[in-house]
Structures are given as C-alpha cells and as structure tokens.
C-alpha cells in the first residue's frame, strides 16, 4: 500500500504534464444532482404559495409553499434587513432529519427592518421592505417573488419556475416495507379486538407498534417521491469511488432574474474573465473546493475556493446575491442577449426596438437549505458594505506582509536560507519574508523541523529577526499516521479526526503518505489546533514565524476528485457533502486564532490559505494556487484577484513567475512588475524548476526587478491605508474600473487594467514582446498623470502607451494625494521611522484629497485608539493636514520630507503654517515641462496639523 501511494503521489505531482487531467473532475453530466436540477426546464412553477397560511411579524413573513405535483410542503421565510437587504429561506417543514444550515460564516444577526402588508388580493401579497421604498410582491400561483424599487422591477425570484427542493425521504423499497408492516400491524390489532381470550394465544405477536397516523405518514413520504428512483439518487460512482448517499437525494435549486442587467461578476474561484460568461450549452460555474494543479484557463471548472456571492451591475444599480450554502454548488447563467453583437444591439436601438437585457441566474446545491441574501445596493460600495455587514471585512494585515515574499518548494536547509537572505542584501533588493515549504518538516510531520536540514530553527529565525525580517512555514491539515508522532497521537486520542461512514478514522494519501484529517468543524478540534502554535508546543517557533495553510480543500490524493469522500462524517453527524466548502475556512480560522493566542491576543497574525469560503477575509490572505509560467497565467491573475476583491477577499495574489514550468526571463520580469501592484506579492516555484532568485537572470533584468520592488516599497503606506479602509468599510483594495466609474459602460468588461483604491490606475504589461499597451483612462472631465513621467492625460480617452521592458503603466488620478516613503531600505520594518513624500495630483478644479493610516504595524493596539488617520486636502492653493479620527493618538518620528504637486502653475512663494500660529518659508523648485512643484523639507511631523500655502 505504501508503494502504491508513493507511486500515486509521484504520478500526480512529479511527472510533467501539459495541463490538468480534466477526467479527474466531474462535469455537470457526471454529477447526478446537477443533472436532475438541470433537467427541470424553465416554465410555470410547480409550486404555489398558500397565501392563506401567511404569518407576518415585524421582521419576518412565513408562508407555506405547496408542490402541486405531490402536495409536499415547504416553509418560505422572508426577512427585511437593515441596510437595504432581504433574506429568503426555504426549508422543509418536518424533515426526516435536520438539514444543514451554515454556521460561523455570518458575523452576527443583521438588524431587522419592519415589514408590513401594503396590498393584497386572492393571488398577490405586497410588502413594504422597511423605509427604503422597496417593495416585495409575492404571487401565489405560480409562486413568484418580485422586488421593486419605486416602479422599477429590480429582481425576480422563481420567475422561470426552477425552484426544485428534494425532500429528505427513505428509500422506496424501505418505505414499501414500512407500509406493509404498518398495515399488517393494524390488521393484527383489529383481529385481536374480535378474538376471544382463548383464541388469542394463536395470534402471532406484533412486530411493531403502528397506528393509522403512521400509515398516513409513511404514505405521505411515498407521495413526495418521484415514481422511479433515478440513477445516482442513493449511490453514485465516479471512476473507482462510490458515494453511498445514506440520506438519498437532497439537492436544492432556485432561479433569479435580473431585468436590465447584462454584466454579472463574482462567484470565485475560477480561472476566467472578470465578467461571467453565459453557461447555456456548457457546464455551469462550479463551486467545490478542489486541488486542481496546472489548471486550465477560461472555463467554469471549480478551483481551490468558493464564495457563493454574485454581483450584477448596470449604469443605474448594483445588486448582489449571496447563496449561503457550503455543499457542492453549480451556477447557471443565461441571458436574452447572449451571442448578439454590439452592431446588432446598436441597430435595434436605432430602430427603437429590441428587448430589455436580462440575465438569469440559477443556483443548484447538493444538500442543505435555500438561504439567500439579496443586496439591493444601489451603488457598488453599498453592496460591499451590505455583504461585509454579514460576513465581516478584510482583516488588517501586519505591515510586513504587504512587502515582498520570497518562496519556493523548497529552500533546502538553514544554510540555503542564510545564503538567499544574504543575496538580497548583496544585491540591494528589499524583501520581508522567506518561506519554507513541506520539506522543512521532519518527514512532513507538521509542527516539527527536519533535524538534519533545520537543526537550529531558533537561531535561523533570530538571524532574520536581527534584519527585521520574517519567515513563513507551511502547516497543512493532513496528519501523518505515525504512532511516534505526538500531533497524530493527541488528535486520535481525543477522537477529533473525521470519520468514515462506518465510524473509523478517515484515512487518505497526501504528502506524508497515509494521513488522517482533523475535523475542523468541531470547535474542540479548532481549539486544540490553535493551542499547538504556542511557543512551547511548536518547538523552534518564534514571534517572527508565521503560517501557510495549503492543501486544505481538503486534498486527498487517492480520493474522489482528489478530495474527501462525501459520505465521510463530521462532528454532529453531518456528512462531508454538507460542509465541504467550509473545511479550508475552518483550517485558516483555527490557525489564525492560534497565532493570536500565542501572543496573548496582542499581535496580528499572518496566515495564507489556498482554500476559502465566504468570510475567509477575516482570517488572512489567499493566493490563486498552482499556476504555470505562461503569459496567459500572468494575464488571468488580474481577473482572478479582481473577482476575489469583489467578494470581500482583498488580500489576494498569484505566484510570481508561475509555480509550474520555467518562465522565460521576459515573462518573469513582467510578472514581478504585475505582482508589485497586486495586494499579496510572493514569488513561488515548483521543486523541479531551476532557481529563480532575482539576481540569477543577469544584471539588466535584476535592475528591472529591483525597480519593481522599489515601487512596491515606496507605496507601502498607500497599500496599508487601503487595507485599513477595507477593514473599516469593506471597500476592495484592488477594484475593477466599473466600481469607481459605475456609469461608464465601456469599463464593465475590462479586466486588463484596474484601480488600486480610487487613486491609482494600473495596466500591467502581460503580452510577450509588447511595444505598447492600449490604456483606457475613464472619467468625464477628469485628468490622469503618468506616475513616472508626470505626463497629463485628459479623460475619457484610450491612449496608446509605448512600453519598454522597464515600463509599468501606472497613472495617478487627478484629485488624489498619495503618501509615499521614497528612501530605499532592506525591509518594511526598517522604514518605520522614515519620512514621507506627499504626491498631490491636481484635478481640473485644482483640488486634491488623500488619506493616511498609521499605527505600529503589528499589534491590535489600534483597537485601543493607538493610531493616526490623517486627511490631506488641497484647494485654492492651500494644502491642509488634519485628523480624520481625533480619537486616534499615535506617536511617530516620521516627518514630511517633500511635497510633489503635479499639474500646478508656478508659485512665487510657499509658506508653512502650523497650528500654533508659526509660519515659515519653504524652498521649492518648479519644472515647467511637467508642471510639477517640488517642495523641499517642510520638516513637519506627519501627525501635525498644518497648512502649506502657495502664492
């Protein structure tokens, strides 16, 4: 068995392949519940809402839904929620056993909005949804919900009649046996009633207690079933694996129609464009966390993580649909204008005809209930805030984690780590973190160190700490089965492993060979796991060691679809099919809590995860998995991270250079340039690839990489401020252009360029041998400035920008102020006391505004008001600095070294006025060709209120 497993691991990971083997992963046609759901075609719904059963409280409407095919009933609950949200839940009224409802993802119970009936007749019920002016119209037969804003139809539910809810039931042959038994027992009782005492001794004994109600109950269950059980309902085989399905068919599905919308986004993770495609004639988008190495691009296959949030946008409104279900889920998207060319649309418009565009979205999940939140916007930022109010915001990362990370599978030993670290110093390249992959542990026993390669981890970490650098080590959630391994013995003795359907510990193959899988859905398991990160239990660890959770989909090399069997059993008796997409969420959560606990709750953690779900943003960073050293993989990293940003996960990045294969030098350089302008910036490479440290590619290329790294580090204060805004408001750090320019339809499908906050527009070069890029600069009446040359561009316009290998096309928006730190250092911590330069880019009105968040960069002290949140405003020739949050107090030696004012006319003098009334003249220089003023050494502390006046 060991040799078989080793051969499997070698085959899967070490033999080169051109691309993923798609036959290892299901299509909709190979998923029985997806087949059954899709078999139901649009038409009149078979469900009716029994309006006479309606019960209305201040925050909730309850109505029974009746399936006219078999009279099976469901309970519909509609909630009005504060903040322009609506929640819809559909569940069985009396299920055979409870159905899974997702815990721990929502951060709290949203405040209710008062509901009231405004109109009603025999077949309709109209509700007012709080004070927003929105209304919900419920149609009884066929069942349908419509949400209106004023007189405008915003969204419809079940308008295509695709509600399909498979009731839990017993298998048909089992039910038939129960009916026979129940009828037989009734006949026995009747016969006994009319039998004399002397004859009763000859009557056979009852086999079960039964009564007429029991017979009716069993027959009612029988009525809920289709006439013939379909293949895959009670067991399902994929390749060599059989899913026993002890609970039978349990899938749920529902459709949503979005009139007026033709652009939808979200539902990561997929290697696809930002704007989602229609899926008619292809597989739906799949949400099922899987270990898919060397994944294909531009398709709907599932990848490592799942966030069931879809956004829709047009020039008037943004909407969101959050489908809270952790089981395998497929999402079908259709459109009444799919396939029509722009020319045909324009022709219809000119003729005064053409239908209103509409996108229809159909969600299908294998188990659980229907629990969906509708975010009614109306702006993109409203939707972000609505979603964040439910699932939380992006955790504020420690400052160092926004710097550059150097990783590969694997740095060989302590000497290798020391040499790589020294190389960055020798070549004057900044970096913050060096990473260790699975080979650092003793036989891939996590929480240990290889005694030969890493005999003195504390000394290694101490050397890094002296240079103000950090290390990240991998800790995966598969545990080597070894009686001599303390971690395994502890988990096993406490009975905290996931079980098979037969009750034994679930075992599968992963990096260590035979492995067991901790049940992170169990709070006791998470508590124990968190305790293992304490310094006395994780031997060799220090406060500058952080953690990487990989393979947490979970990955099971010999499992179905390289993951866990769905009939495995978790805490509480829930099947793995119910909780699958939550597993990685729980692993990262437990790890994050462990890093917080080891410091007594004082220090912020850094944890990178590959698998994720809604709410994972609360626990750290995500990367896009095992990509390849190909130009298309560089290109796809942009829409992949944009999609994650739209669903709350701002701390995203891709492996710089590509994990698999060997990048040509130009590709590697371009990837560094792109990565420098993505939130998580890490280079990573496969075990079999040649070494890729930046100094190994020639002096010229190293100089270009050095410049990209320097650009990253100068902007760290800007990045950090954006993450603070993400924490407080839920705003994405990296965002599509349409988020900032929601009425500009030409931006709706753009994913080759993007915004960082509202101030920077980035268009990385992602084509080989490119001599130029087409850059679209949006905004009626706005101006943009090339951050390198200060050239001014009036918007809106598309401009051709010539590029060389040194070029990173980045533009600062007129009207913004960006604080930077321009002094080069070896790491971000070394820059802590360095001075700032303010880059003031004037708009056409001669105005600009910016913000800066500042704290110690590593602790939770900002929650006790130890921070600065500063605002800078430029108007009518005056730059003023003041506090955006006077409750925050933080002492810093950092001062303002320069002020660069872009797009200005030449002044005759510049003075600095402080809050105490003192005034002094400042030196400056003016560059006529670029219209740039450089103010030298204002010398004022960044925490001070001041005014700089130009005359």
């Amino acid at each position: 068995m060991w040799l078989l497993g080793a051969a499997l691991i070698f085959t899967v990971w070490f033999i080169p392949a051109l691309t993923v083997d798609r036959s290892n992963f299901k299509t909709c046609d190979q998923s029985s519940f997806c087949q059954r759901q899709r078999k139901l075609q649009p038409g009149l719904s078979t469900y009716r809402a029994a309006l006479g059963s309606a019960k209305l409280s201040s925050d909730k409407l309850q109505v029974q839904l009746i399936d006219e095919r078999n009279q099976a009933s469901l309970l519909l609950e509609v909630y009005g929620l504060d903040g322009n949200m609506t929640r819809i839940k559909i569940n069985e009224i009396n299920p055979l056993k409870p159905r899974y409802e997702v815990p721990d993802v929502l951060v709290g119970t949203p405040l209710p909005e008062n509901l009231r009936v405004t109109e009603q007749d025999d077949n309709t019920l109209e509700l007012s949804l709080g004070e927003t002016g929105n209304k919900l119209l419920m149609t009884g037969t066929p069942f349908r919900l419509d949400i209106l804003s004023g007189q405008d139809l915003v969204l419809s539910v079940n308008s295509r009649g695709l509600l399909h809810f498979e009731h839990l039931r017993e298998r048909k042959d089992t039910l038939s046996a129960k009916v026979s038994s129940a009828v037989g027992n009734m006949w026995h009782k009747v016969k006994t009633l009319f039998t004399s005492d002397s004859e009763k001794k000859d009557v056979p004994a009852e086999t079960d207690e039964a009564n007429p109600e029991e017979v009716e109950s069993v027959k009612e269950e029988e009525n809920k079933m289709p006439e013939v059980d379909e293949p895959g309902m009670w067991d399902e085989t994929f390749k060599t694996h059989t899913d026993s399905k002890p609970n039978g068919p349990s899938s749920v599905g529902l459709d949503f129609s979005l009139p007026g919308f033709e652009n939808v986004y979200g539902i990561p993770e997929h290697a696809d464009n930002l704007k989602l495609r229609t899926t008619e004639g292809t597989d739906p988008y799949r949400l099922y966390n899987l270990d898919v190495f060397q994944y294909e691009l531009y398709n709907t296959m599932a990848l490592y993580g799942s966030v069931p949030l879809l956004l829709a946008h047009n020039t008037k409104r943004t909407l969101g649909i959050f489908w809270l279900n952790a089981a395998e889920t497929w999402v079908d998207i259709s459109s009444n204008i799919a396939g029509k060319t722009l020319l045909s649309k324009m022709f219809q418009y000119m003729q005064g005809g053409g239908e209103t565009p509409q996108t229809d979205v159909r969600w299908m999940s294998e188990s659980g209930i229907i629990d969906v939140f509708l975010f009614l916007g109306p702006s993109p930022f409203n939707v972000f805030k609505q979603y964040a109010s439910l699932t939380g915001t992006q955790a504020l990362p420690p400052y160092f984690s926004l710097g550059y990370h150097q990783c590969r599978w694997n740095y060989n030993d302590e000497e290798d780590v020391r040499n790589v670290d020294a190389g960055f110093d020798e070549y004057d390249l900044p970096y913050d973190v060096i990473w260790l992959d699975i080979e650092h542990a003793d036989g891939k026993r996590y929480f240990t160190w290889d005694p030969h390669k890493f005999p003195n981890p504390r000394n290694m970490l101490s050397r890094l700490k002296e240079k103000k650098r950090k290390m990240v080590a991998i800790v995966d959630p598969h545990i080597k089965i070894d009686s001599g391994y303390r971690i395994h013995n502890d988990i096993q003795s406490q009975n905290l492993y996931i079980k098979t359907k037969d009750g034994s510990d679930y075992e599968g193959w992963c990096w260590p060979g035979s492995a067991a899988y901790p049940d992170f859905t169990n709070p006791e398991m998470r508590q124990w796991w968190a305790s293992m990160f304490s310094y006395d239990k994780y031997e060799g660890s220090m406060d500058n060691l952080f953690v990487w959770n990989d393979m947490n989909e979970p990955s099971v090399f010999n499992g179905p679809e390289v993951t866990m069997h769905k009939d495995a059993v978790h805490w509480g008796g829930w099947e793995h099919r119910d909780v699958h997409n939550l597993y990685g969420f729980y692993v990262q959560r437990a790890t994050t809590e462990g890093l917080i606990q080891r410091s007594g709750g004082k220090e912020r953690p850094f944890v990178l995860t590959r698998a994720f779900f809604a709410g994972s943003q609360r626990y750290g960073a995500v990367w896009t998995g095992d990509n390849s050293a190909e130009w298309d993989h560089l290109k796809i990293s942009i829409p992949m991270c944009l999609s994650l940003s739209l669903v709350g996960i701002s701390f995203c990045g891709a492996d710089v250079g590509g994990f698999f294969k060997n990048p040509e030098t130009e590709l590697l350089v371009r990837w560094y340039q792109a990565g420098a302008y993505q939130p998580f910036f890490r280079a990573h490479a496969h075990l079999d690839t040649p070494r890729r440290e930046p100094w190994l590619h020639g002096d010229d290329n190293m100089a270009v990489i050095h410049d990209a790294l320097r650009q990253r580090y100068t902007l760290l204060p800007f990045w950090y401020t954006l993450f603070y805004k993400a924490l407080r408001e839920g705003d994405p750090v990296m965002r599509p252009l349409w988020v900032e320019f929601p009425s500009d339809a030409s931006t709706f499908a753009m994913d080759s360029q993007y915004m960082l906050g509202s101030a920077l527009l980035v268009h990385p070069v992602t084509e080989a041998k490119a001599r130029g890029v087409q850059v679209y600069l949006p905004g009626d009446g706005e101006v943009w400035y090339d951050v390198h040359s200060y050239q001014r561009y009036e918007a809106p316009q598309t401009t051709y920008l010539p590029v060389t290998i040194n070029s990173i096309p980045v533009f600062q928006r007129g009207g913004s102020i960006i604080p930077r730190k321009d002094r080069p250092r070896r790491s971000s911590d070394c820059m802590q006391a360095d001075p700032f330069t303010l880059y003031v880019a004037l708009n056409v009105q001669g105005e600009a505004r910016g913000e800066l968040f500042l704290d110690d960069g590593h602790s939770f002290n900002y929650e006790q008001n130890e921070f600065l949140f500063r605002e800078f405003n430029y108007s009518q020739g005056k730059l003023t600095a003041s506090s955006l949050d006077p409750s925050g107090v933080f002492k810093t030696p950092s001062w303002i070294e320069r002020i660069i004012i872009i797009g200005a006319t030449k002044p005759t003098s510049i003075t600095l006025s402080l809050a105490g009334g003192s005034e002094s003249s400042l030196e400056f220089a003016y560059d006529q060709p670029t219209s740039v003023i450089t103010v030298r050494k204002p010398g004022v502390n960044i925490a001070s209120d001041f005014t700089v006046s130009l005359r």
Side-chain angles (χ1 to χ4, degrees), residues 401-402 650-652 675 677-681 712 719 723 733-734:
S401 65
L402 299 178
S650 273
F651 206 0
C652 167
Y677 285 91
Q678 292 179 359
F680 177 56
F681 185 22
R712 172 64 170 215
W719 282 105
F723 271 96
V733 169
M734 178 181 179

Side-chain angles (χ1 to χ4, degrees), residues 333-459:
I333 299 172
S334 58
S335 170
N336 62 350
I337 59 170
K340 293 183 179 179
T341 65
L342 178 62
L343 189 61
S344 67
K345 293 179 192 176
M346 291 178 60
F347 181 76
Q348 286 183 342
Y349 176 79
M350 293 171 64
Q351 296 297 313
E355 56 190 325
T356 300
Q358 175 169 305
T359 297
D360 299 301
V361 182
R362 180 184 192 177
W363 300 78
M364 303 167 283
S365 293
E366 185 175 15
S367 63
I369 70 167
I370 293 174
D371 189 2
V372 60
F373 293 85
L374 305 176
F375 307 133
L376 303 181
S379 77
F381 291 97
N382 292 145
V383 171
F384 301 145
K385 188 179 292 289
Q386 288 155 2
Y387 178 67
S389 73
L390 297 179
T391 66
T393 59
Q394 177 69 58
L396 181 64
Y399 196 83
F400 79 83
S401 65
L402 299 178
Y404 172 64
H405 301 247
Q406 182 67 37
C407 182
R408 76 173 278 109
W409 177 24
N410 200 84
Y411 286 117
N412 300 322
D413 50 31
E414 290 179 10
E415 183 180 5
D416 198 7
V417 170
R418 183 164 50 248
N419 291 338
V420 171
D421 176 68
F424 278 88
D425 292 334
E426 179 182 352
Y427 294 101
D428 192 28
L429 298 164
Y431 95 103
D432 266 82
V433 192
I434 190 165
W435 291 53
L436 294 181
D437 211 316
I438 55 177
E439 311 301 334
H440 85 278
D442 182 10
K444 301 179 180 64
R445 298 171 181 87
Y446 305 111
F447 297 100
T448 71
W449 303 84
D450 186 300
H452 305 292
K453 298 177 181 178
F454 296 92
N456 299 298
R458 283 184 176 271
N459 290 343

Side-chain angles (χ1 to χ4, degrees), residues 214-234:
E214 179 184 355
V215 176
E216 289 305 314
S217 174
V218 174
K219 286 184 175 179
E220 182 180 340
E221 286 300 317
E222 213 168 22
N223 287 336
K224 293 178 184 178
M225 301 190 305
E227 292 183 2
V228 179
D229 279 343
E230 299 178 19
M233 281 186 165
W234 295 95

Side-chain angles (χ1 to χ4, degrees), residues 611-785:
F612 52 85
F613 191 68
S616 288
Q617 66 270 14
R618 307 198 298 265
Y619 304 118
V622 165
W623 95 105
T624 61
D626 297 336
N627 58 3
S628 293
E630 300 171 3
W631 286 96
D632 280 347
H633 275 263
L634 166 59
K635 190 180 302 183
I636 205 73
S637 70
I638 299 172
M640 289 182 75
C641 279
L642 287 174
S643 294
L644 283 164
S645 295
L646 289 176
V647 300
I649 301 177
S650 273
F651 206 0
C652 167
D655 286 345
V656 169
F659 179 67
F660 287 107
K661 303 183 181 179
N662 303 317
E664 58 190 276
T665 303
E666 182 192 8
L667 173 59
L668 182 64
V669 168
R670 290 300 191 196
W671 216 318
Y672 267 98
Q673 293 173 333
Y677 285 91
Q678 292 179 359
F680 177 56
F681 185 22
R682 181 186 75 155
H684 188 33
H686 188 276
L687 183 71
D688 289 341
T689 62
R691 298 293 283 256
R692 295 188 196 158
E693 285 72 41
W695 53 87
L696 298 178
H697 311 281
D699 290 347
D700 291 344
N701 291 308
M702 186 184 68
V704 179
I705 294 173
H706 176 274
D707 184 57
L709 293 173
R710 287 295 309 126
Q711 290 187 45
R712 172 64 170 215
Y713 276 79
T714 62
L715 284 170
L716 286 181
F718 173 69
W719 282 105
Y720 196 56
T721 301
L722 291 180
F723 271 96
Y724 180 71
K725 295 279 286 184
L727 170 74
R728 291 301 184 209
E729 306 293 336
D731 297 350
V733 169
M734 178 181 179
R735 53 189 76 157
L737 264 64
W738 62 260
V739 169
E740 284 295 320
F741 303 93
S743 61
D744 186 346
S746 61
T747 67
F748 292 175
M750 284 187 180
D751 57 15
S752 60
Q753 58 184 70
Y754 54 90
M755 297 292 297
L756 294 177
S758 60
L760 288 183
L761 185 151
V762 185
H763 190 310
V765 180
T766 59
E767 300 284 348
K769 299 178 174 57
R771 295 185 178 181
V773 293
Q774 295 282 349
V775 180
Y776 178 67
L777 301 172
D780 288 336
E782 298 207 26
V783 293
W784 297 84
Y785 301 92

Side-chain angles (χ1 to χ4, degrees), residues 810-824:
V810 182
F811 298 83
Q812 184 171 348
R813 188 178 184 180
S816 66
I817 299 175
I818 295 179
R820 288 172 33 172
K821 288 193 173 185
D822 287 343
R823 294 188 180 185

